[in-house]
Amino acid sequence: MESEVSFEDLITLPINKKYITNDSGIEYRVLDTSVAEVKDGIISPKKVGKTIVEMADKSGEVIKNIDLEIIDKETNFYNENIELWNSVISVTDVYDDSNDYMKNLKARQDKAVEDILKLESDNKNQRFWTDITDYASSANLTKSYRRFESLAKQVQNPYWVYYKDSDVLRLIKEGLEWEYKNNYNSDKKITSNWWDFEIGVPRAISNTFVILYEYFDKETISRYTDSIYHFVPNNNQFRVTIGNPLPTKGGNLIDMGRGKMIAAFLREDNTILKYQHLYLRIVLIKLLKTEIV
């Protein structure tokens, strides 16, 4: 299994996005701080323009220069719907610290994230999490991706312990790449339960990128969601890549459609959006026509 850090060659950032640098052991320095700044390994744009980012080792010696370009803000129909879905799954706008239920929920979430962080492996050539060793069981794949989603919610919630924590952000970035290279890409085949490959993992990947949308560019999002398109080529059927597809109905149709639709918003793929909308509309029409006794 692979685990290696690659140095950047070029960084292009819309002014409304941020960039998680690849290597926490390297110091990144933005030469023109009127264009962007770097803090705790996160590059944040200030204005449209170009500059150079120096990479220095622990001794302070510059080992590489990177071109950094800040471009105009991305605002369109897709972004607006991504923000809308994020407000649904993150619920950061409705947290009330005076509400005992919410405070208890926050405490449980903080503890759950602390437990997840303790499971990071020191030897990522073998595994990413110390407690997940058998990926022949597809449930472990869903478990891993759900951890990234939980971490993403934590770092984007201003009321929680790890809000904007650069180490957690880098862990998510590294983990998504590790799982992509080793376990969930278009060269892999479904093992164990189809549900994990076609619903569980796609849902967690899509939600993670929605929550952390400001930290990932289109190319990265497209690369990781290619796997979703591979395992869910047609959401009116499941087990397609296995070779014995069956019609998707009811809850599975909604779950598959939702994961694929969110991925389509992230990829700005209007063709798939129209297709997914059609199938979800069919389900809703059937539900409305169902007589409730």
Short mmCIF file of all heavy atoms in Angstrom, two decimals, residues 70 77 86 145-146 167 169 177 211 227 241 244 271-272 283:
data_model
loop_
_atom_site.label_atom_id
_atom_site.label_comp_id
_atom_site.label_asym_id
_atom_site.label_seq_id
_atom_site.Cartn_x
_atom_site.Cartn_y
_atom_site.Cartn_z
N ILE A 70 -3.82 33.40 -7.74
CA ILE A 70 -5.15 33.59 -7.16
C ILE A 70 -6.06 34.13 -8.25
O ILE A 70 -5.76 35.15 -8.88
CB ILE A 70 -5.11 34.57 -5.97
CG1 ILE A 70 -4.04 34.14 -4.95
CG2 ILE A 70 -6.48 34.65 -5.33
CD1 ILE A 70 -4.23 32.75 -4.39
N PHE A 77 -24.66 28.41 -10.00
CA PHE A 77 -25.76 27.57 -9.55
C PHE A 77 -25.27 26.39 -8.73
O PHE A 77 -25.87 26.02 -7.71
CB PHE A 77 -26.53 27.11 -10.78
CG PHE A 77 -27.43 25.93 -10.56
CD1 PHE A 77 -28.67 26.08 -9.96
CD2 PHE A 77 -27.05 24.66 -10.98
CE1 PHE A 77 -29.51 25.00 -9.76
CE2 PHE A 77 -27.88 23.57 -10.79
CZ PHE A 77 -29.12 23.74 -10.17
N ASN A 86 -24.68 21.90 2.41
CA ASN A 86 -23.79 21.99 3.56
C ASN A 86 -24.52 22.50 4.79
O ASN A 86 -24.31 22.02 5.91
CB ASN A 86 -22.61 22.91 3.23
CG ASN A 86 -21.58 22.96 4.34
OD1 ASN A 86 -21.35 21.98 5.04
ND2 ASN A 86 -20.96 24.11 4.52
N TYR A 145 -14.25 6.12 5.46
CA TYR A 145 -14.72 7.36 4.82
C TYR A 145 -15.66 8.14 5.73
O TYR A 145 -15.68 9.38 5.70
CB TYR A 145 -15.38 7.05 3.48
CG TYR A 145 -14.39 6.93 2.34
CD1 TYR A 145 -14.03 5.70 1.83
CD2 TYR A 145 -13.81 8.06 1.78
CE1 TYR A 145 -13.13 5.59 0.78
CE2 TYR A 145 -12.90 7.97 0.74
CZ TYR A 145 -12.57 6.73 0.24
OH TYR A 145 -11.66 6.64 -0.79
N ARG A 146 -16.43 7.46 6.53
CA ARG A 146 -17.31 8.17 7.48
C ARG A 146 -16.50 8.91 8.53
O ARG A 146 -16.92 9.95 9.04
CB ARG A 146 -18.28 7.18 8.13
CG ARG A 146 -19.45 6.81 7.24
CD ARG A 146 -20.38 5.83 7.91
NE ARG A 146 -21.58 5.60 7.12
CZ ARG A 146 -22.47 4.64 7.37
NH1 ARG A 146 -22.28 3.82 8.42
NH2 ARG A 146 -23.53 4.50 6.61
N ASP A 167 -3.89 20.42 11.34
CA ASP A 167 -3.44 19.02 11.39
C ASP A 167 -4.56 18.07 11.03
O ASP A 167 -4.35 17.07 10.33
CB ASP A 167 -2.90 18.69 12.78
CG ASP A 167 -1.59 19.40 13.10
OD1 ASP A 167 -0.84 19.68 12.14
OD2 ASP A 167 -1.34 19.67 14.28
N LEU A 169 -7.18 18.89 9.14
CA LEU A 169 -7.43 19.10 7.70
C LEU A 169 -6.43 18.31 6.86
O LEU A 169 -6.79 17.68 5.87
CB LEU A 169 -7.33 20.59 7.37
CG LEU A 169 -8.54 21.44 7.75
CD1 LEU A 169 -8.18 22.93 7.71
CD2 LEU A 169 -9.71 21.15 6.83
N GLU A 177 -6.60 10.64 -0.03
CA GLU A 177 -5.67 10.19 -1.07
C GLU A 177 -5.26 8.74 -0.83
O GLU A 177 -5.18 7.95 -1.77
CB GLU A 177 -4.44 11.10 -1.08
CG GLU A 177 -3.36 10.70 -2.09
CD GLU A 177 -3.81 10.85 -3.54
OE1 GLU A 177 -4.86 11.46 -3.80
OE2 GLU A 177 -3.08 10.34 -4.42
N ILE A 211 -18.69 19.72 2.72
CA ILE A 211 -18.33 20.40 3.96
C ILE A 211 -17.00 21.15 3.81
O ILE A 211 -16.84 22.27 4.29
CB ILE A 211 -18.24 19.38 5.12
CG1 ILE A 211 -19.60 18.73 5.35
CG2 ILE A 211 -17.75 20.06 6.40
CD1 ILE A 211 -19.54 17.48 6.21
N SER A 227 -14.48 7.82 -8.94
CA SER A 227 -14.74 6.49 -8.38
C SER A 227 -16.23 6.28 -8.16
O SER A 227 -16.75 5.18 -8.37
CB SER A 227 -13.99 6.31 -7.06
OG SER A 227 -12.61 6.55 -7.22
N THR A 241 -21.35 -3.01 -11.81
CA THR A 241 -19.97 -3.37 -12.11
C THR A 241 -19.66 -4.83 -11.76
O THR A 241 -18.63 -5.36 -12.19
CB THR A 241 -18.98 -2.46 -11.34
OG1 THR A 241 -19.21 -2.60 -9.93
CG2 THR A 241 -19.17 -1.01 -11.73
N ASN A 244 -24.10 -8.51 -12.63
CA ASN A 244 -25.47 -9.02 -12.48
C ASN A 244 -26.36 -7.95 -11.86
O ASN A 244 -26.81 -8.07 -10.72
CB ASN A 244 -25.50 -10.30 -11.64
CG ASN A 244 -24.89 -10.10 -10.27
OD1 ASN A 244 -24.14 -9.16 -10.05
ND2 ASN A 244 -25.20 -10.99 -9.33
N THR A 271 -25.45 17.27 -17.04
CA THR A 271 -26.06 16.09 -17.67
C THR A 271 -26.48 15.08 -16.62
O THR A 271 -27.62 14.57 -16.64
CB THR A 271 -25.07 15.44 -18.67
OG1 THR A 271 -24.72 16.39 -19.67
CG2 THR A 271 -25.71 14.22 -19.32
N ILE A 272 -25.58 14.75 -15.71
CA ILE A 272 -25.91 13.79 -14.66
C ILE A 272 -26.96 14.37 -13.71
O ILE A 272 -27.84 13.64 -13.23
CB ILE A 272 -24.64 13.39 -13.88
CG1 ILE A 272 -23.71 12.59 -14.79
CG2 ILE A 272 -24.99 12.57 -12.64
CD1 ILE A 272 -24.29 11.27 -15.28
N VAL A 283 -39.46 8.56 -8.00
CA VAL A 283 -39.70 8.03 -6.66
C VAL A 283 -40.69 8.90 -5.90
O VAL A 283 -41.62 8.41 -5.27
CB VAL A 283 -38.37 7.93 -5.87
CG1 VAL A 283 -38.64 7.52 -4.42
CG2 VAL A 283 -37.45 6.91 -6.52
#
